[in-house]
Amino acid sequence: MKFVAGLDGGGTKTAVTVADENGQVVKTFTSGAINYNGQDEASVGASLKEIVETIAQICGGVEHCAEMCIGAAGVSNPNVVSKMTSQVRLHGYHGGLHITGDHETALMGAHQRLYGMILIAGTGSIGLGKNEAGLTHRAGGYGHLIDDEGSGYSIGRDLLTALVQAQDGRIPQTIITDMVYKKLAISSVQEIIGFVYDKRTNKKDIAAIAPILSEACSAGDPAALSIAEKSASSLLQLVIPVAETLSLQKSSLAMAGSVLLQNTFVQSKFRELLVGRYPEMECITPKSDASMGGVYMALQRLKEH
C-alpha cells in the first residue's frame, strides 16, 4: 500500500493529512510553522524533520509515502522552494514532492475540484481563482508590510490604532482600549508601544489581538464596527479582480480563514457587499481543508506517474 501526504503550512502551524492511495484518510496531525517569511531556518528545519518522522511512523516507513504535496506561504520566492526541498530530502524523504502556494491547496480542498474561487482571511489575506480553462488569477497575499488588507493582522493593527487614537482624542473613547490591555496583560500606551516595536513581536502576535473585534462589535462599539466594515470592504476588493479576470461572476466562492469563519460581523458585512456586487455568486464554506487539498493534489500526481 502506498500513501500520500498533504501539508498546509499556515502562519502559525502546519496541518498534515496522510491518506492511502485510495484517498482514505489514515491520520491527521499538526506541527510547527514552515513559513520562511515568518520563521527562522532552524525552526522550519525542526518542524519539517518532525513532520517527515511522523509521516514515516504512520506509513510504516518513509519509503511508503509515494507523494507529498506541501502548500505553504512564501513559496513564490524560488529560494524558499529550494530550501524547503533540501530540508525535506535531508530528513530522509525521497518520494514525489510538489511544493506550491497554500492558497492553491486551499482552493483544491475547498471545492474538491480544480476550479473555483477562494478568499482566505487568516493571519494574512489573499484571493485566488481558477476557471475551467485552467487560467488562474490571484489578488493580494503580498505580506503584512505592504498588503494583507482585511486579514487578522490588519484587524489587530487597526485595533491598536484605535487604542492610541482614542488615547489622544483623535477618536472617541472605545471599549477596544480595555479589551486590548486585558488581552496583552498591560495597562498603558507606553507598554503598547513597547510591545509593538519589540523586535520579538511578529505579525502573528498582532493578528492574535484580532478576535477581540467580535466582542467589541457585539457591544456595538462604533470604532469596532468601523474596523469590521473596513475589513469586509478590503476583502471584497480581493474578489473583484479575480472574478472579472476569469469571468467567474456566477461561480462559487469559498470563504476560508479565521477572520471570515469566526467573525460573524466581518462575514455578514462581506456577504452583504458581495451580494450587492455579484448577486449570482454563491458563497460557500470549504468542503475540506488545505491539507486535504494537498492530499488531492498528491493523489493526482500519483495517478499521473
Side-chain angles (χ1 to χ4, degrees):
M1 177 68 82
K2 288 177 181 173
F3 297 90
V4 299
L7 278 65
D8 174 34
T12 49
K13 66 178 191 298
T14 303
V16 185
T17 298
V18 178
D20 66 22
E21 60 193 285
N22 303 314
Q24 287 295 312
V25 174
V26 180
K27 187 95 176 160
T28 61
F29 65 95
T30 60
S31 185
I34 55 170
N35 180 355
Y36 279 95
N37 287 354
Q39 312 294 319
D40 60 82
E41 209 152 329
S43 69
V44 171
S47 296
L48 287 169
K49 180 175 190 282
E50 182 184 86
I51 289 165
V52 171
E53 286 170 356
T54 309
I55 289 170
Q57 287 166 8
I58 294 164
C59 302
V62 75
E63 67 278 6
H64 298 300
C65 182
E67 286 284 344
M68 186 190 293
C69 175
I70 302 176
V75 298
S76 49
N77 178 343
N79 293 338
V80 168
V81 176
S82 58
K83 277 183 194 172
M84 203 174 275
T85 303
S86 54
Q87 282 285 357
V88 170
R89 299 302 186 206
L90 177 71
H91 301 306
Y93 177 76
H94 300 291
L97 179 63
H98 178 55
I99 298 172
T100 186
D102 53 353
H103 49 289
E104 295 271 358
T105 47
L107 178 69
M108 184 75 163
H111 295 279
Q112 293 180 349
R113 62 175 194 225
L114 286 166
Y115 58 92
M117 282 184 294
I118 189 163
L119 173 64
I120 308 168
T123 305
S125 62
I126 190 168
L128 176 75
K130 190 175 278 191
N131 64 18
E132 290 187 61
L135 300 172
T136 64
H137 190 72
R138 66 174 259 187
Y142 299 107
H144 69 293
L145 290 178
I146 57 170
D147 198 16
D148 281 349
E149 296 307 309
S151 68
Y153 170 83
S154 81
I155 289 171
R157 185 192 59 209
D158 287 348
L159 288 165
L160 292 168
T161 300
L163 184 155
V164 296
Q165 290 185 350
Q167 165 74 19
D168 58 22
R170 279 181 279 169
I171 63 168
Q173 291 304 308
T174 165
I175 58 169
I176 290 168
T177 302
D178 287 340
M179 293 168 82
V180 171
Y181 283 160
K182 188 178 169 191
K183 172 88 176 173
L184 298 176
I186 56 184
S187 58
S188 71
V189 167
Q190 282 69 34
E191 286 175 284
I192 288 283
I193 303 308
F195 161 75
V196 170
Y197 293 102
D198 187 316
K199 286 192 167 39
R200 291 164 298 182
T201 301
N202 60 32
K203 64 177 182 181
K204 288 182 294 186
D205 301 318
I206 305 289
I209 302 166
I212 288 171
L213 185 66
S214 291
E215 203 184 325
C217 284
S218 298
D221 182 80
L225 291 166
S226 167
I227 292 168
E229 196 153 327
K230 178 187 168 190
S231 176
S233 177
S234 296
L235 293 173
L236 180 69
Q237 295 308 312
L238 294 175
V239 177
I240 293 168
V242 176
E244 297 299 327
T245 305
L246 301 174
S247 301
L248 293 174
Q249 297 92 337
K250 297 178 184 180
S251 179
S252 62
L253 171 75
M255 296 185 299
S258 55
V259 172
L260 279 166
L261 299 181
Q262 291 166 26
N263 189 309
T264 52
F265 290 88
V266 175
Q267 190 195 117
S268 62
K269 187 67 193 171
F270 171 74
R271 281 178 179 271
E272 185 189 312
L273 293 171
L274 188 73
V275 167
R277 180 78 194 225
Y278 299 117
E280 295 180 74
M281 192 178 286
E282 183 194 13
C283 219
I284 64 165
T285 49
K287 291 179 179 173
S288 53
D289 67 11
S291 67
M292 196 64 205
V295 164
Y296 293 139
M297 284 188 174
L299 287 166
Q300 211 177 356
R301 292 171 67 81
L302 192 61
K303 284 195 192 100
E304 288 164 6
H305 291 152

